[in-house]
Every structure is written in structure tokens, then in C-alpha cells.
Amino acid sequence: MLDIFCYFLLFGFLCGIVSGSEWQKVNSYEGDWSDICSSWNATFLAASATKSSSKSGGIYLSFDEGVTWTASPGASTSLDWFALDCDSTGRRLIAAELNTGYYISDDFGMNWNKTLDIASVSTNDLSVCMTSSGQYVVAATAGEGIFVSSTYGTNWTLSSFPTGCEWEAVACSENCSYILATCGGSSSSSGMYLSTDLGATYTNDRYFNLYQAYVSFDASVMMVADQTAALYQSLDFGATWTTVETGAWYCLAGSKYGQTVVAGMGPFGDELAFSYDYGNTDSWVVANSVPSGLSWTGASVNEDGSIAVAVASGNGIYINSIAPSQVPSSAPSSPTSQPSCNPSTGPTLAPTGCPGLVSQLAKLEWQIGKCTRNRRSYCYERSNVSLGKRGKNQRTVDRMPTGDQ
């Protein structure tokens, strides 16, 4: 009887994926969140926030899959941190600050060094992309252009094409063999800009009101969000584009090979949607476990698509996990290198043992002949399926550390 009971619980969860997987808020600090990135195993997370008259900005870090957070001591909370990306381990990051420029960190976000100056940008059109190794970095700045670095952000080359664009987003494949940038608005320069030669030249497909962009590790899957009309998809390295969904689309992120995609949708990105089928038509589902009416400004998905995170401006940071059976079989099970858990080689507050998501769910155990269930989680088979519900022992924080003011 217990075996049958467990079967139906597991079956009910898999059906729940179709109707909307469960997201959990992992902090209650209602900052003006702007972006988020994750390492390939999602142990490391970094989120950026802009400042306002009543709220601090800053960059906030988690080394335990979002259970606890701390302010980066090297990122002033009096600055407007707007865009963020990191390599596969989380060791190297790039961040864009609206008034001063771009900053690089090579110690898990603890310290930051300015790498590229910009003029103050009032339009909030800054975007960054970093490849899995951290060697190739792209920075797009409204009114200035797209800058590319192949030296971990130490030297930059400015792309030679119209610099007057409102650069809304930039995304890149491994080694920046493909760079996709979106120029927003409805001017003669608006559209998708695609480069296959490290930013030396670009081709332009004319689309209007484009916003966010996503490129998979191997560039076989690309997506672009139109903030007024549609979601576009390419499955042939950007050669052709198809409208897969209509409506307004905003923040956009995907797994390594693009099977799991997360996006903000609605008039102001006020709904969170996801697809476990490369973003194809009719594969999108609205998350039913987050409040409606939020403004989703950034998202990130781990390597195999099993964990996604998203930030809502003025609200908080959310995390979601799905069963590994949903991830693409072509994706490797882990990145080629993992962040060290040794404080001598990583940040001083890196947790010993690097506890993973399943290790946090102490009450979820598959026992001989039966399964156990607590109020928020379902039974699972430890060796094969991690349902990813956040356990009761995982806590949230009421206020983010303030850092320097």
C-alpha cells in the first residue's frame, strides 16, 4: 500500500510540472533587484540590486544554493548595480554599474576591480555576458557600443557598427563563437545583431522593441524576447527565426543546451513562465507558486536545467528545481571544474563541504519499502530523482546584510 501511495505522490509531482512547478522565495529583502547569475551546479549565486532613496544597492552572494546570503564587501551598496554574469564555477564575475562602468571579480564576488569606464547611462541599457571559463566577456552599452574581451576582461575591443543603439541585451556561446545582441526601440538600427567572429562583424535582422536574449553553450538554441509582441526562437545557429509565442516577454535565461528556459512575461514582465522543451510553441507554463504582478528583472538556469533562479524587483529572489529526468541527455552531468570548498582557495565564507540541495532535505528519504513525506516535500528516490522542494530546515533571511553605505 505504501509503495502505491509513493507512486501516486511521484506521479502527482510529475503532473505538477505541466501545470506549473513550485518556486520558493529564498529571502524577504525587498530590494530593487536587477539581475542574477548562478554557477553550473547552482551552489554559488550572485544577485545585483540598484539603489533608491529607501533601499540600498549592492551585489549579494550565496554559497549554499540560496539558503543564506551576504553582501559583497567589495561592491558598494551606494551604487546602482544593474547587470551581472559569472563563469561556470562562480569564481569570475562581471557586473555593470549604471554610473561608473564595468567591474570584474575573480574571487567569487568578494572584491571588484573596474575594467571598463562608461559615461553615466540614464536609459538603464547595460548588458553583460561571460563564457563558462570566464576568459571571454562581452559588455553592451547604450550609446557607446559592444565591447569584447578575450583576456578575462583586462583588454577590450569596441565593435565597429552603429553605436547609437539602445543595447538591451547581449548573450554569447562558449568562447564567444556566437554573440547575439538586441538593439531596442524602433529606429533604423533596431534589431538582432549576430556575430560569428568574436564581435568583428555583425549581421542585422530587423525586429522592433527587442529586449532580452539567450544563446546556448553551443549556439544551437537562441531566443529573443520582444517586450511588446512575441518570443522568437532559432534552432539553426541564428540562421532563421520563428515566433514561438506571442505577447510581451522580458527577462530570459536558459540551461547549458537550452532545454530549460525561464522568462518573464506579461505587460511588465509580471508573470514568470518556463519551458522544459527548448522554448517551443505550447511548451510554456506560467509558474503558479509565485505572487502575480511582480516585475521579473533577471533569471538564471544551472547547467543541466534542474535549478532555476529569478529576481523580482522590489520583492525578492526565488528558486525552483525540477526532476533530472527533464534535462537533456546530451548535457554533461557536471561542469569540467567545480568551485573549491577550501577557504584557502575560495572566498573566506565558502561553506565547508559545499552542501548540495538534496543534502539540505534531511527529512526526504527513500527507505526500504516505503517513503516519507513532510508538509512541503514529496518522496523521491535518492539515486535518481531530486524533486527540489525546499525543506523546512532551509531558512530565509528577513534583511540582507547592508555592506558599506
Side-chain angles (χ1 to χ4, degrees):
M1 179 63 70
L2 283 173
D3 289 338
I4 297 175
F5 176 67
C6 293
Y7 170 80
F8 279 107
L9 283 177
L10 184 57
F11 178 78
F13 168 77
L14 294 177
C15 291
I17 289 177
V18 179
S19 62
S21 290
E22 187 170 319
W23 291 72
Q24 179 171 338
K25 190 175 183 179
V26 293
N27 71 73
S28 56
Y29 173 60
E30 297 182 349
D32 291 328
W33 300 108
S34 54
D35 207 355
I36 190 167
C37 72
S38 68
S39 62
W40 270 0
N41 63 6
T43 298
F44 174 84
L45 304 173
S48 58
T50 57
K51 67 178 179 63
S52 65
S53 58
S54 59
K55 298 176 182 179
S56 298
I59 295 175
Y60 299 88
L61 311 170
S62 174
F63 298 92
D64 52 13
E65 293 178 342
V67 178
T68 57
W69 293 81
T70 186
S72 165
S76 171
T77 56
S78 63
L79 295 179
D80 286 311
W81 299 98
F82 186 71
L84 188 68
D85 202 7
C86 54
D87 68 8
S88 63
T89 67
R91 175 185 172 184
R92 294 186 174 91
L93 301 95
I94 182 171
E97 200 281 322
L98 288 177
N99 302 295
T100 57
Y102 296 89
Y103 294 75
I104 288 285
S105 172
D106 63 359
D107 60 358
F108 295 89
M110 300 300 291
N111 297 285
W112 296 84
N113 297 305
K114 185 186 289 187
T115 181
L116 188 61
D117 284 312
I118 60 169
S120 179
V121 179
S122 59
T123 58
N124 293 353
D125 291 332
L126 295 176
S127 185
V128 294
C129 178
M130 176 175 279
T131 59
S132 64
S133 66
Q135 178 179 353
Y136 294 88
V137 192
V138 185
T141 306
E144 294 195 21
I146 296 180
F147 299 84
V148 180
S149 173
S150 59
T151 57
Y152 300 92
T154 58
N155 300 292
W156 297 85
T157 301
L158 175 62
S159 298
S160 56
F161 60 90
T163 57
C165 277
E166 299 175 9
W167 294 111
E168 300 284 359
V170 65
C172 51
S173 64
E174 182 64 1
N175 298 329
C176 282
S177 53
Y178 287 80
I179 300 174
L180 177 64
T182 58
C183 176
S186 54
S187 70
S188 59
S189 300
S190 298
M192 305 177 193
Y193 285 78
L194 181 63
S195 173
T196 59
D197 54 10
L198 204 60
T201 60
Y202 287 80
T203 57
N204 179 15
D205 282 338
R206 293 294 307 282
Y207 289 84
F208 296 139
N209 301 308
L210 299 182
Y211 196 59
Q212 290 296 314
Y214 160 75
V215 176
S216 66
F217 180 87
D218 59 0
S220 61
V221 180
M222 300 183 186
M223 302 200 75
V224 169
D226 182 326
Q227 59 185 348
T228 61
L231 183 66
Y232 304 105
Q233 175 203 64
S234 173
L235 299 179
D236 55 6
F237 304 91
T240 59
W241 292 85
T242 302
T243 300
V244 291
E245 295 290 346
T246 58
W249 295 82
Y250 285 81
C251 71
L252 188 61
S255 57
K256 181 177 180 180
Y257 292 108
Q259 183 172 10
T260 301
V261 189
V262 176
M265 61 172 289
F268 302 100
D270 52 2
E271 297 284 356
L272 192 61
F274 51 92
S275 166
Y276 299 135
D277 186 28
Y278 304 95
N280 286 316
T281 302
D282 297 329
S283 69
W284 288 88
V285 186
V286 175
N288 58 14
S289 55
V290 295
S292 60
L294 301 183
S295 177
W296 297 101
T297 54
S300 184
V301 183
N302 75 331
E303 179 192 17
D304 65 6
S306 61
I307 300 175
V309 290
V311 290
S313 181
N315 185 268
I317 303 173
Y318 290 77
I319 191 166
N320 168 272
S321 297
I322 64 171
S325 60
Q326 296 290 323
V327 306
S329 58
S330 57
S333 59
S334 60
T336 54
S337 60
Q338 297 283 353
S340 172
C341 297
N342 186 343
S344 65
T345 58
T348 55
L349 69 168
T352 358
C354 281
L357 180 62
V358 175
S359 67
Q360 300 292 328
L361 305 178
K363 289 191 176 181
L364 293 180
E365 306 228 352
W366 188 273
Q367 300 174 344
I368 299 175
K370 66 177 183 177
C371 66
T372 63
R373 178 188 180 190
N374 66 22
R375 182 172 58 87
R376 303 184 60 143
S377 304
Y378 297 98
C379 62
Y380 70 111
E381 183 175 4
R382 179 181 302 185
S383 61
N384 294 323
V385 179
S386 168
L387 301 188
K389 308 293 183 177
R390 307 296 280 184
K392 292 172 64 177
N393 60 325
Q394 292 186 307
R395 64 186 186 276
T396 60
V397 293
D398 293 330
R399 178 174 295 179
M400 303 295 286
T402 57
D404 64 326
Q405 300 293 332

